[in-house]
Amino acid sequence: MKSQTKAVVIGGGIAGCSALYHLTQEGWTDVVLVERDELTSGTTWHSAAQVTNFGMNQTMVGLKTHSINLYKELAEDPDYLITYHHADGGIRLANTEAQMEAYRHFVSMARGMDVHFEVIDAEECARRHPLISTDNLLGGLWDPLDGDIDPAQLCQALARRARKAGAEVYRNTPVTGLTQHKDDTWTVHTPKGDIDCEVVINAGGYRVNEVAEMMGVHHPVASMEHQYFVTEPIQGIVDAGHRMPLLRCPISDYYCRQERDGLLVGFYEQDCKTWGMDGIDPNFTNALCPDDLDRVTDVLEGAFARMPALMETGIHTIVNGPITYTIDGAPLVGPVPGKRNAFCIIGLRAGLGEGGGHGWLLAQQVVHGEACYDTWCLDPRRFTGHGNVELTALKAIEDYQNEFRFHFPQEHRPVGRPIKTTPLTPVLAAEGAEFTVVNGWERVDYIKPDPDFHPSLTFRFDEAFDVIAAEIANVAGNVGLTEVNGFNRFEISGTDARSFLDRMFCGRVTDKPGRVGLGYLLNHHGMIKSEATVANLPDGRIWYGSAAGAEGHDMDWLSQHVGAEEDVHIRSLTNEHTILVLAGPNSRDVLSKASRGDWSAGAFPWLSVRHAFIGIAPAVVMSVSFSGELAYEIHVPNNQLYAAYLALRAAGEEHGLQLFGARAVESMRMEKGYLHWKADLLTEFDPFETGLSRFVKMDKQEFIGKQALAARQNNGAQKKLVTLELESTDAPAHGGASVMVGGKVVGTVTSGDWGHRIGKNLAYAFIDPGLSDIGTKAEVDVLGDLVAASVITSGPYDPAYERVKG
Ligand SMILES: Cc1cc2nc3c(=O)[nH]c(=O)nc-3n(C[C@H](O)[C@H](O)[C@H](O)COP(=O)(O)OP(=O)(O)OC[C@H]3O[C@@H](n4cnc5c(N)ncnc54)[C@H](O)[C@@H]3O)c2cc1C
């Protein structure tokens, strides 16, 4: 066994084998995989191993496509043939129009990745799958490339190819400890000896947290028991003369695929069960949980009704095994939070289908620092401070119970809430607030007109449309107040803080005391990494503010780049402060009444920051605006937040100050041309492509990503972010929707919403640069309709910025 290597992958299921293989493909061939037992002896060996192209966003679709292409290539390798039923086709069923509409959105989104789904009606479903009845069925989503693969053969093939490229695989070699050294390298301890390496990768499956504990971390991953059975042969399948397509049913929560001449039917029962919460028997290997079909009778009935042939067929085998879930249903693939040179590929609940793609994106991150797609939806740093065992288990149960029921755009599922709150949360709830969830924080979405107001779940504009319109009208014409909690805030100090920040931002960010500036951080490839405001407090402190949710991500990025000799300290204040936003033409009057001092435009102009008291609560006030109206961000310590709130409410009384929420903000920011991190600001695009040239100073001596950006600049933009006006009034263009010209996909929508102040249906999209001129006509595929659209000037509301300056 080697005692020294570049990377050690821990675990030999699909995740580990794929990561190992892809590391060799990205150029790291001196790599090792250690497996405590035999390859695939965790979950992988008994997987139903369906391989679909269906994903919730373009990153997921893209990585699944990679899996499919790779598996096909492996299966066709004459040196090592694999059983892969490629392109049997699959149907996701629907019995409501809302589900059908969602499928139409997925067709539009996947088309941009050159993946072609089809929405079909109930009769066509039955024609393609002769065993199903059309009772209570509207139709479905057809995935032509759906199939299933032999999981053990797949892993062997990946390991075999990795070995050929130079990697080594050590079976029956449990990792018993991990030591990180001062230079951030690792020693992996096993009973057969130690291995020193630069990078470790946790691919431990349901034992993820045993491995995580060895590096002093915990991942929000929980296991659920999951069952399927395989039937005896079914005559209808033999008679059909072709393989049955796969089925996935959000109506009754089961899936089904052909297994030999019978069916394999898997269940997502409501009466579900977590597994291994209090530790896992060390001897549980190549093992199953006791079967318990009584638990699945509710969903079994639905499967029987859809496929009557099941009722006349005997059960051949039952499989019940652990399957891992995370807090939001997506895996954790990327850097381990708070650790250097440590990565994970864990929480895979559809790991056979996705594993090829996850290993690919992970290996790119390990070797190149970034993947070809923006991987934030998979990033392990996306849960900050709330990824605990209990919440993970509750969300795992909720997710399991809703396996095939996708989230609607405005849907925020109830379990595990509230988890992150401020003292204002119950106060705002009593005022009628409906909450959205941002990185675990309960944030006001809008104020309900009555307690029983529950808009329907839809991809179209919902019943809250007029409520949002009224909140915006009040902000634009008068004054509104909202709480923005969870906003990420670091205090950056030390004698080298200024030069450090100058290196981190691609533009010049103000260092004037009392001033606030916006800037962008790039990665080493010259692509957008983060967006942040820098506020130079009059007392000399520097506050770095970025998106809620960016805390772990930005902390990692900033602290990684502090030089050994530099005097720079970064302290998170995210959980200590909250922002109250006062917005609207009368906001200055309200602030002046609530706080002593001269708040006139001359004394406190746009982009200023100062200390103040709001009533009796100390605050840092910034004159910045995300709404496009005169506005103030009032940063208050949480323990005095309620006092500040009461002072503002009292001061606002004479103006009829009203509350507003995140949905109003979303609409207003689109009218202003402002961007959202990880919706519009992605690692797939550089700042020029994203329309941020004014924030880039190529004449700066140094900034991270400068060289790569210069090279990209020479090659010209691949895409350009534009604002589109859509000629429709009933639905927004959702992120991922395809922009078309002449029947060809020319771009992808990143955000869409109704602009209430200008009365336009707006969308942002990255499109071919040649089509980015103002006035260019295009179409956007919105829920299956090709909606006419044209490129308009970004930020159409108050382009002269008169209103924000007041
Ligand atoms: C019943 C069932 C049906 C499924 N059906 C599908 C499906 O149809 N399609 C699909 O895509 N997915 C499906 N899945 C999910 C899929 O099987 C899993 O997502 C996938 O197998 C997980 O692979 P993994 O490599 O992450 O974990 P595992 O396969 O569990 O591999 C982890 C490996 O790490 C090793 N290990 C752990 N600790 C150590 C240590 N300390 N040292 C060394 N090695 C260690 C383990 O021995 C194990 O081999 C199903 C799962 C179940 C249970």
Side-chain angles (χ1 to χ4, degrees), residues 767-780:
I767 68 170
D768 292 349
L771 298 168
S772 62
D773 290 345
I774 306 300
T776 303
K777 302 282 179 211
E779 290 171 321
V780 182

Side-chain angles (χ1 to χ4, degrees), residues 11 13-15 35-36 43-44 46-50 175 205 226 348 350-353:
I14 178 61
E35 162 56 50
R36 74 197 286 275
T43 289
T44 298
H46 58 71
S47 178
Q50 301 154 97
V175 172
H226 174 49
L348 272 60
L352 254 299

